[in-house]
Amino acid sequence: MSTQTQQASIPKEEPDDEPDDVLFNTIYGVRTIELNRPKKLNSLNGSMARKIIPRLKEWEKSQLASVIIIAGAGEKAFCAGGDVAALAQYNQQGTSGIERSKAYFGLEYQLDHLIATYPKPYIAYMDGITMGGGVGLSAHAPIRIATERTLFAMPETTIGFFPDVGGSFFLPRLDGHIGAYLALTSERLKGVNAYYAGIATHYIDSSSLGNLTARLSELVFKDYADMAERLAIIDTTIEEFGTGLPYDEPILLAGNLRSAIDRCFCYNSVEQIIQALQQESGETALWARNTLKTLSERSPTSMKVALRQMELGRTWDISDTFRRENHIASKFMEHPDFVSGVSAKLINKPPTTPKWEPPSLEEVSRKDVDAFFNVEGTTPLPLFGVAPAWRRYPFGYLGLPKEEEVRRVVLEGGKSAEGVVATFLTTKGGKPGVREKVEEVLRRKCEVGAGDEVIWVQDEKR
């Protein structure tokens, strides 16, 4: 990939763009973006991206715009993904159609990168289905609010694609090997479990979102307040609307299941993951069998590319992530699995079984996978503004404690389980779910020593 970086151009609307697929509103200092394709579950297309980018750039310069909120119209979906059915149909038109699809992904990733690096507070209401392209519009926001209606997934391997929209960045940075598990299996996380897993930073009831928007519009920030100070005020404001977490929805990725996920999905080879799943016994044996069945239905090429993506993506910075994903997406537009997968799963009525090429893992060579990541001689995707090189989300502390944070506190020594919990309750200001998350990590990773001191047990090795 060339080292020269070009500035992205603000896109202009095209004649056939839908007029009202995105609605914008101003409420004092708040600017709202409403994805307005409820019959299509607010799936993202080029027309919508061409409207959102110019508004974000405009608000970036406006002293009157203090907070950006993005949400979806209707009660079913925030955004169910990109409009991949249209892209598959483009691809069937030949070279010109494939180039049109490639252009869409470039535009989408420019938008996602703009959101990830936006200099003002950007809040995503992940109310309803939040998948694929909808994850790109939300996962990189400093504040991401889940509700009881949230349904998160990265379903790309089911359609012969890869977990894009910055999945290379946020998935490997989830606790343990949850990211690889979600990437390969397309497992869904519902409601509060999107919050427990770190996908969302906050959880409130959907009925409170309207009042929250009104309350956020009343906030007034000091001119000299930096991003961290503004987000801290917003964080406190959101917690005013919390009514506690649902008692009947425990942490899904916990206990023996979570240990099995880390044990099986820690490898950089899909074949090794499959072997590890085949060796599971006892309480997790049924889960392992179901997971093996799931993997057998996925595109072999997609799985191998996605797993390599999880391995490499943990070292990429946020800007390099979207440039490299643009190259990977372009290669998939030339690969038969994308059209086969989308046609079978989303276009054919009733859905049919995709015909993957090649049909087995053994036939997907290392050379085949390398081609998706070889950017030598290619022109990098132009991005907006200065392309930052951070490798961790600057405001990742706004969510629940990460497992690594719990580990560090335990390794300091001298604390009981309740002492560790108290430490995080203090640093997180009593945030809902802190106790549940920390206690789950302690039960799974620690033993109790003399004087009730918790001792971190050596992490499992491959």
Side-chain angles (χ1 to χ4, degrees):
M1 184 182 291
S2 168
T3 57
Q4 187 174 3
T5 301
Q6 291 181 312
Q7 283 290 306
S9 301
I10 296 177
K12 296 180 179 179
E13 290 190 57
E14 298 181 355
D16 58 350
D17 284 354
E18 298 175 42
D20 298 314
D21 49 10
V22 185
L23 304 177
F24 303 96
N25 196 16
T26 297
I27 313 170
Y28 299 109
V30 163
R31 301 294 182 268
T32 64
I33 303 168
E34 183 178 30
L35 309 176
N36 190 37
R37 300 179 76 204
K39 292 183 179 179
K40 293 278 190 178
L41 299 177
N42 299 320
S43 58
L44 183 69
N45 60 18
S47 170
M48 299 163 82
R50 283 187 286 273
K51 292 180 178 67
I52 297 171
I53 289 173
R55 288 297 182 114
L56 287 175
K57 295 301 291 181
E58 174 191 329
W59 294 336
E60 187 178 316
K61 300 173 184 176
S62 171
Q63 293 183 343
L64 299 177
S66 299
V67 177
I68 315 301
I69 298 174
I70 188 167
E75 298 181 353
K76 290 185 178 180
F78 164 61
C79 175
D83 196 349
V84 291
L87 301 179
Q89 291 167 340
Y90 294 159
N91 289 2
Q92 291 175 304
Q93 298 169 7
T95 303
S96 62
I98 290 173
E99 291 304 313
R100 187 175 179 182
S101 293
K102 290 180 180 180
Y104 164 76
F105 283 113
L107 183 64
E108 182 183 22
Y109 300 158
Q110 287 172 336
L111 171 56
D112 294 340
H113 178 266
L114 177 59
I115 290 168
T117 59
Y118 204 65
K120 294 186 176 183
Y122 175 103
I123 303 170
Y125 289 174
M126 302 169 68
D127 184 32
I129 300 170
T130 304
M131 299 183 183
V135 176
L137 297 176
S138 57
H140 310 291
I143 293 181
R144 311 174 298 279
I145 300 176
T147 74
E148 77 285 356
R149 298 191 296 212
T150 298
L151 182 60
F152 166 91
M154 293 296 285
E156 288 78 11
T157 58
T158 67
I159 58 168
F161 199 47
F162 75 109
D164 63 332
V165 297
S168 308
F169 195 89
F170 76 85
L171 287 171
R173 289 164 177 80
L174 295 176
D175 286 344
H177 296 280
I178 289 176
Y181 174 63
L182 296 176
L184 267 64
T185 66
S186 310
E187 178 69 18
R188 298 180 173 192
L189 296 176
K190 298 178 181 179
V192 72
N193 270 290
Y195 174 58
Y196 284 134
I199 305 298
T201 57
H202 297 77
Y203 178 88
I204 66 174
D205 193 271
S206 61
S207 62
S208 298
L209 292 176
N211 290 334
L212 173 60
T213 300
R215 178 74 179 88
L216 290 171
S217 73
E218 299 170 355
L219 297 180
V220 178
F221 303 112
K222 291 182 171 63
D223 290 343
Y224 55 79
D226 63 15
M227 183 73 151
E229 291 175 275
R230 294 174 187 232
L231 289 173
I233 293 170
I234 293 170
D235 180 36
T236 302
T237 303
I238 294 171
E239 297 301 352
E240 294 174 10
F241 292 83
T243 55
L245 304 182
Y247 67 89
D248 57 345
E249 293 184 47
I251 302 177
L252 173 65
L253 305 181
N256 289 336
L257 172 59
R258 173 57 202 288
S259 295
I261 289 172
D262 286 356
R263 190 163 55 241
C264 295
F265 284 82
C266 67
Y267 299 98
N268 291 330
S269 156
V270 180
E271 289 88 347
Q272 286 179 292
I273 289 173
I274 288 173
Q275 290 175 3
L277 287 165
Q278 291 169 339
Q279 293 170 10
E280 284 294 305
S281 60
E283 186 178 325
T284 56
L286 178 59
W287 164 81
R289 287 198 298 273
N290 291 337
T291 303
L292 284 166
K293 181 178 184 300
T294 295
L295 296 180
S296 72
E297 298 167 352
R298 302 294 183 255
S299 159
T301 299
S302 292
M303 286 196 294
K304 286 203 169 184
V305 170
L307 193 61
R308 177 80 65 84
Q309 179 193 357
M310 295 301 102
E311 177 188 358
L312 299 179
R314 67 180 68 250
T315 67
W316 294 346
D317 66 48
I318 190 65
S319 300
D320 205 28
T321 291
F322 289 104
R323 295 192 185 107
R324 289 179 176 275
E325 286 191 0
N326 185 58
H327 175 74
I328 299 170
S330 295
K331 298 296 290 185
F332 266 110
M333 291 306 96
E334 301 167 357
H335 195 282
D337 277 9
F338 180 75
V339 170
S340 178
V342 172
S343 298
K345 294 293 185 181
L346 302 177
I347 297 176
N348 297 346
K349 303 297 180 188
T352 56
T353 301
K355 293 183 179 179
W356 306 126
E357 296 182 27
S360 68
L361 288 168
E362 294 74 18
E363 294 173 271
V364 182
S365 69
R366 184 177 183 84
K367 182 179 179 181
D368 294 334
V369 177
D370 288 345
F372 287 88
F373 297 89
N374 182 10
V375 296
E376 186 176 349
T378 63
T379 302
L381 177 71
L383 300 172
F384 290 102
V386 178
W390 42 260
R391 288 177 165 79
R392 294 282 174 187
Y393 289 113
F395 307 105
Y397 56 81
L398 289 168
L400 289 174
K402 294 182 69 66
E403 187 170 296
E404 178 57 28
E405 295 176 65
V406 179
R407 177 178 177 272
R408 286 199 297 265
V409 171
V410 171
L411 291 179
E412 289 173 0
K415 289 186 176 66
S416 65
E418 187 56 35
V420 175
V421 171
T423 297
F424 285 101
L425 286 173
T426 299
T427 58
K428 294 289 183 179
K431 190 178 184 73
V434 167
R435 175 176 291 277
E436 291 87 343
K437 173 70 183 286
V438 174
E439 287 182 345
E440 191 284 321
V441 174
L442 294 177
R443 284 193 299 269
R444 181 166 42 82
K445 304 297 288 188
C446 295
E447 294 177 348
V448 179
D452 290 336
E453 178 182 355
V454 286
I455 301 169
W456 193 268
V457 178
Q458 183 67 32
D459 290 323
E460 291 178 281
K461 296 183 178 179
R462 294 176 186 173

